[in-house]
Amino acid sequence: MSEPKDFPYVTRLNVQFQPLELIDEGALSAACPHQWFNQTLCEVNESVVRVGVVEGEYHWHKHDHDDEFFYCVEGLFHIDLEGRTITLQPRQGTVIPKGVMHRPRAPQRTVILMVETKAIVPTGS
């Protein structure tokens, strides 16, 4: 896999909110000027919740040791797999199991939430 710096994505792994702080996903997403943005919102046990504001294609990748949960908040989110595509509309989600090659993409500006382990490398293994 290529290094994260090789991809034109804005990925912020810092935890932006601590327990008991209000998280206003709508305000964060509305203020986002980036085409492919990923911000860690908070930690929950050994996992993190991230918001993504995305449009266009991510690269094909996999996570050898981590499952990934995607939830579409607004827009339309496709996850290409080898042989098929899962399409998420608002209020729909899915889990991509560890080791499965996938390519996320969004034909329009889309907001997603992701739940994954703290150790995951967003660009893949």
Side-chain angles (χ1 to χ4, degrees):
M1 282 284 140
S2 299
E3 292 297 314
K5 66 182 180 342
D6 296 335
F7 303 112
Y9 318 131
V10 177
T11 302
R12 297 185 180 152
L13 301 178
N14 63 297
V15 176
Q16 189 165 352
F17 299 95
Q18 297 304 311
L20 305 177
E21 285 187 75
L22 179 68
I23 301 169
D24 187 342
E25 171 276 316
L28 287 169
S29 299
C32 179
H34 306 289
Q35 186 173 356
W36 201 280
F37 176 77
N38 183 329
Q39 170 68 59
T40 302
L41 297 175
C42 60
E43 292 183 51
V44 181
N45 299 315
E46 298 301 315
S47 296
V48 292
V49 178
R50 294 191 170 114
V51 64
V53 179
V54 299
E55 183 175 359
E57 292 183 359
Y58 207 66
H59 63 282
W60 283 96
H61 68 286
K62 64 184 172 103
H63 304 284
D64 290 330
H65 307 288
D66 302 286
D67 297 335
E68 225 175 348
F69 174 72
F70 292 99
Y71 181 83
C72 183
V73 177
E74 65 182 59
L76 187 63
F77 192 65
H78 301 294
I79 305 168
D80 295 326
L81 307 169
E82 295 175 333
R84 73 181 184 120
T85 298
I86 297 172
T87 297
L88 301 179
Q89 296 183 29
R91 301 181 74 174
Q92 294 181 329
T94 193
V95 173
I96 303 300
K98 60 186 160 199
V100 173
M101 286 292 291
H102 59 286
R103 177 182 64 181
R105 60 186 172 90
Q108 63 197 45
R109 186 177 188 280
T110 296
V111 177
I112 59 172
L113 293 176
M114 296 157 281
V115 178
E116 48 202 19
T117 67
K118 290 187 269 189
I120 201 169
V121 175
T123 54
S125 299

